[in-house]
Each structure stands twice: as C-alpha cells, then as structure tokens.
Amino acid sequence: MLNSVGAILLDTRSIQKYVFSCNRLKTNIGASFLVDSIFSDLMVNKILPSLNLKMPEFSWNEVDNVQMLEDDSIECEVAYIGGGNMIILVRKQDEDVIELCKKIVGSWSKEILIKAPGLKTGAAIGMLDIDSEHFQKSLGILYKQLKDNQNTILPQVDVPYVGFTLECDYSGKTAEYLRGRVEDSIINEFDNKMVSAEIVAKSSAYNVATEKLKEEYKDILGNRFDFVTKFDNLGYKDNESYISVVHIDGNNMGIKFASCKNMQERKKLSLRTAQIVKRGFYKLLKSVVIDFKEGIYDKSLNINKMKNRYLPIRPIIIGGDDITFVCPGRLGLEYAKRFIQFVSKEQLLDEKLYSNAQGYAGKIFNNQNIKVNNNMSCCAGVAIVPAKYPFYRAYELAEQLCGSAKKKSREDDESFVDFAILHGDMSPTLDQLCVQQYEAPEGYLHYGPYCITQEQNDKSNINDLFSLIEKIKKVPNNKIKDLRNVLNEDNHSIVRFLENCPEVENILKDELQKEDVGASDLWQYMKNEKILKTRYVDAIELIDFSLKV
C-alpha cells in the first residue's frame, strides 16, 4: 500500500489586492482569470507535461479518487485545486523526489513572471502520507512550512525594469508598454498612455476569461444576453449611481476539510464544494434572466443602459467556496440571499465527514454544543458603494462584512449576510463605520447580520427585514426622514415622534402583535447580545436600495 510520496503545496498570496487593484472592470476580470489559470492551465497543461512524468489518464477534476493509489505506474498527479491552493503528488524511482519537486516549482515560478507579472505565490515541498492515519499531521507540516515561507520570503514578482522611470497610471509600477507595442493591440484601450506589464497581462487575459465564462453559461445566455464590460452598463440609474460588491465565503471550511482523514476524502470534498458553488451561481444567473424577461427590473434599472442585452450581474471570482460578483446597488442583498438559498439546499458532508467535523468543531471551540451544518452553509458581505468608489476598498469592506456575518454564524453554522452603505468619498474600515454611523444614545442603529436560512425569534431573518422595508415604504417620506433622525436622538424625542406618527405606531403594533406600543418597542436585544438595537434604520436606508414594484 502506497503511503508516503513527494508533495508540492502551492498558494496564491494577496489575491484580492492583485485582482481588485484598479477600477477597470476588464482588468479585474482578467486578473481573476490569471489567478485561476496559473494552476488549472499553466501548471497542469504546460509545466507538468514538459517533465515526461507519467500522469493519470483523466484530469484531476474528472474523477473523485486519487488515481496514484490504484495505479503504481503513475508518477505525478494533481490531487486537487481549490481555495487558492494546489497540491501535486510526485514519486519517481531512482530519483530524488524532493529535488524533482523543486524543479517543478522553479519552472512554474519563472513562467508566472511572464504570464502573470505582479502575482505573489508561495510553495512548500515535503513528503506526504496520503492514505494513512498520519495524513493530517504530514499535511499540517506542509501548511506550516508554507506559512513560514510567507513570513520570511519576499518574492520578486516583476521582471526588473529596463531603464524606464515613467509610472503606470493604473498599477503605480514601472510603465513598460506604449500603444502599438503589444501584438494583440490590447494596449489600444489605454489612449496612448504607457502602462506596466502587469496591466497588459491582466487586460490581455480579459477576452479569454469572457469567452470561457460565456461558454460555461451559454445555455442561459443564448444569443441575447451578455455580461457587462463596464460598470455603467449594469443598469443603475444616473441619480442612483451605486453598485453592490458582494463577497460570499463558505462557513467553517477549515474544520470541514480538517475532518478528512486522507487525501481521497479531501479531494472529494474539494470537488463537491466547487460543484455546489458553480451550480448555485448557475441557478442565480438563471433567475436573473427570468427576472429580466418578465420585466421585473423595468422600474428599478435603466434598461437603456443595459442595451436590452446586458445582465445586471457580473461575476469576478467563482472558485472553491469563494465567490465575488458586482451588481447594481438595489440588487446586492437580493442576489446574495438567492445564491445562499440555492447552495444551502445541497448536502456537502456525507455521514462520516459530518460526524468527524462535529467532533472536531467541539474540540476546537471547547464547546460540544457547537453545530456543524452537513449542507453547504456560507456567509455574505454586501458593500453598497458609489460606482466610482475605489474598487479594492469596496471589496475590502465586503470581505469585512462577510467576516462579521461569519462571527454570527459560528454557533449553529447557519448562513448570514451583513451589509453597509457608503455615501460620498468615505473610506473607513467596518469598525470605523460602525462608530461613525451606528452608535446612538439609546442603542445601536444597525441590526445585522441577518440570517438567510433559518427563521429567527428576534426577527433577524433577511425576509423579516424585506417585509419591514415594504411596510415603511407606505409611510410619508417626511415621516420616514424624521424617524431616521429621532432614532439617533434621546428617548424623549422618540416618544414625541410616535405621538405624532400613527403610521409608524401601527407598523410597531403589526410587527410585535401588541395593542399598546411605545418608544422602547423600536429597540430590542438580539440573541446572546447585551446592547439594544433597532431594525428600523436598516429598513429605512434600504428603501432606496431595494427593488421597485
């Protein structure tokens, strides 16, 4: 029985900064494609075949078993690709396996300098017990080595410049290309500006990425629909120039992968995760097309901007348990909700892995009441920002909001979403935003995160929020504005407001199923929290960021 083989653990570092470093949508999409292709294309299709090692007949993602365990003649195999990582298994009789692994990494690193300049990667090399009780321990040693390398090695990820000193307007790096100097003429988009090799590589990858995406979803898009190339074509109205940057990430994936006892189980879980996420986005995209055909967006979006063919959603990252997309400001929460509802119906863990993960989670958190969901669970962060807002900062905020939702999900592994709305040129972190916008004398003005997959007794389910929005829309606009203001004041101001606003008083009665209500009923404690919060500011702020009916 084969147990120990040479292993290469590869990693991409600072992916978000690389992908979202500028506000050109084409560049972002091209960068995302490059990050994915250095594993799935560059390593698999170029580097490994060049070494004349016997590899499996089938691609790594066509079968869910580790073929090296069944065929002694296989010398090199891709175990899995996912979550920004790749593991390659290597064995070679009469040859130093570790040296061979180093040769593979060296060839790959040189190619990245040319194909994806600016992209930081990491690698760890060692022996891996792929089918024994020592699997997790040996894999942990590889990951520790990878982490140590990240902390001690600062890779040179750009080809040294050749004497030019002009700075690229888009990346801040040395500008090396002028219009007309690139064979495929992609540089013509930059209006005679000199740009860096990194920007040229990202922009050049855009067309390939787009064609691949269209091919993957061709049965939905048909000949009528297409993905946008510019934010303007998403369809937001001129007086509502906001986009939603939505970042979604799987819950407790580290624990779930740690429950795998061998490489076979880990590969199956990796493939299963990627399949669920891709199917979820497929279903989301299909629902968007149906909405478009039925005229659901006619009142909420500028259909002319969309030229009757562009969809109001643009995926940027779809990989492993991680997905990022952009859409008009009004649609971010709705689309995040839909996607999570789709994937949460799919089983992720079989009975054995579920039992392992449940026990492992109890040890990690020192709490046997901690639950692990055997279905796919994930959390979302929705940053609603001006369309011209720096994209990288918008993504960072969406990622922080996703983190906030994950904190809420840890007790029962349910799926949550959190959101924030930025106006003007503010560029705060989430913590700064909470202090600036949400603290008030009587309590906290933000009620999220909101659960998507389970009803909540404290009305912190996303459907409860959407329902409240529709009720408040029926209140006169001046009264809505006054309610937002008084909630930021003291209790006496709120009492006086309710005395003169029966519309809000009636909403409170309906929401709480009570005959008599007062100012204190606008505030409540969420489960396991000790600070009063109100749901009403969230609902008011989202009136302008929800679908018009």
Side-chain angles (χ1 to χ4, degrees), residues 161-179 192-197:
Y161 73 92
V162 292
F164 293 110
T165 57
L166 191 64
E167 186 179 274
C168 170
D169 289 342
Y170 299 94
S171 68
K173 297 183 178 180
T174 301
E176 299 150 315
Y177 288 89
L178 180 63
R179 179 173 177 167
N192 285 324
K193 293 181 179 179
M194 290 194 71
V195 294
S196 67

Side-chain angles (χ1 to χ4, degrees), residues 44-45 48 54-68 70-71 74 76-80 267 271:
V44 172
N45 296 329
L48 295 181
K54 183 174 181 183
M55 298 186 67
E57 180 181 351
F58 297 101
S59 174
W60 75 275
N61 56 359
E62 291 178 337
V63 292
D64 61 7
N65 62 317
V66 177
Q67 297 166 77
M68 190 177 276
E70 302 171 4
D71 186 345
I74 292 176
C76 182
E77 178 177 357
V78 175
Y80 77 86
K267 179 178 180 179
L271 285 171

Side-chain angles (χ1 to χ4, degrees), residues 129-317:
D129 294 311
I130 60 175
D131 191 37
S132 77
E133 60 184 12
H134 302 297
F135 167 70
Q136 283 292 356
K137 182 178 179 180
S138 61
L139 183 62
I141 291 172
L142 269 181
Y143 271 101
K144 184 179 185 304
Q145 183 192 135
L146 182 67
K147 188 69 175 177
D148 290 344
N149 290 345
Q150 289 176 347
N151 293 332
T152 58
I153 298 173
L154 299 176
Q156 171 63 41
V157 293
D158 294 289
V159 175
Y161 73 92
V162 292
F164 293 110
T165 57
L166 191 64
E167 186 179 274
C168 170
D169 289 342
Y170 299 94
S171 68
K173 297 183 178 180
T174 301
E176 299 150 315
Y177 288 89
L178 180 63
R179 179 173 177 167
R181 294 288 299 278
V182 182
E183 289 182 7
D184 61 4
S185 299
I186 195 73
I187 205 68
N188 288 339
E189 294 184 22
F190 296 104
D191 300 325
N192 285 324
K193 293 181 179 179
M194 290 194 71
V195 294
S196 67
E198 179 179 323
I199 294 298
V200 170
K202 291 176 179 178
S203 299
S204 299
Y206 168 78
N207 290 335
V208 181
T210 299
E211 289 307 312
K212 182 180 178 182
L213 194 67
K214 288 180 180 179
E215 178 65 23
E216 191 165 352
Y217 299 106
K218 62 182 179 181
D219 56 331
I220 296 178
L221 300 174
N223 294 321
R224 177 179 176 185
F225 296 106
D226 200 356
F227 293 110
V228 301
T229 59
K230 297 185 295 185
F231 289 135
D232 285 346
N233 294 128
L234 281 171
Y236 54 78
K237 295 187 176 181
D238 291 336
N239 60 339
E240 300 175 357
S241 300
Y242 284 78
I243 60 172
S244 284
V245 180
V246 182
H247 175 66
I248 303 174
D249 197 26
N251 289 346
N252 295 320
M253 297 307 292
I255 290 174
K256 292 166 186 176
F257 274 96
S259 66
C260 300
K261 300 301 183 183
N262 53 51
M263 182 57 74
Q264 189 102 313
E265 291 182 354
R266 194 175 181 92
K267 179 178 180 179
K268 286 183 179 181
L269 182 57
S270 178
L271 285 171
R272 179 70 180 154
T273 302
Q275 290 164 358
I276 290 173
V277 168
K278 286 185 177 181
R279 273 200 298 270
F281 188 77
Y282 181 93
K283 292 176 182 178
L284 171 60
L285 195 61
K286 194 171 183 179
S287 74
V288 172
V289 169
I290 292 172
D291 285 350
F292 196 98
K293 289 179 177 178
E294 293 181 351
I296 302 297
Y297 304 128
D298 289 354
K299 292 182 180 180
S300 299
L301 302 178
N302 185 337
I303 303 300
N304 291 330
K305 274 188 174 183
M306 303 164 75
K307 300 180 180 177
N308 207 34
R309 69 187 182 96
Y310 289 124
L311 294 177
I313 184 171
R314 211 331 166 169
I316 296 180
I317 295 174

Side-chain angles (χ1 to χ4, degrees), residues 337-350:
K337 169 193 164 186
R338 285 189 202 179
F339 174 84
I340 290 176
Q341 287 178 333
F342 289 140
V343 299
S344 66
K345 295 176 182 177
E346 301 225 31
Q347 183 177 346
L348 177 66
L349 304 177
D350 60 27

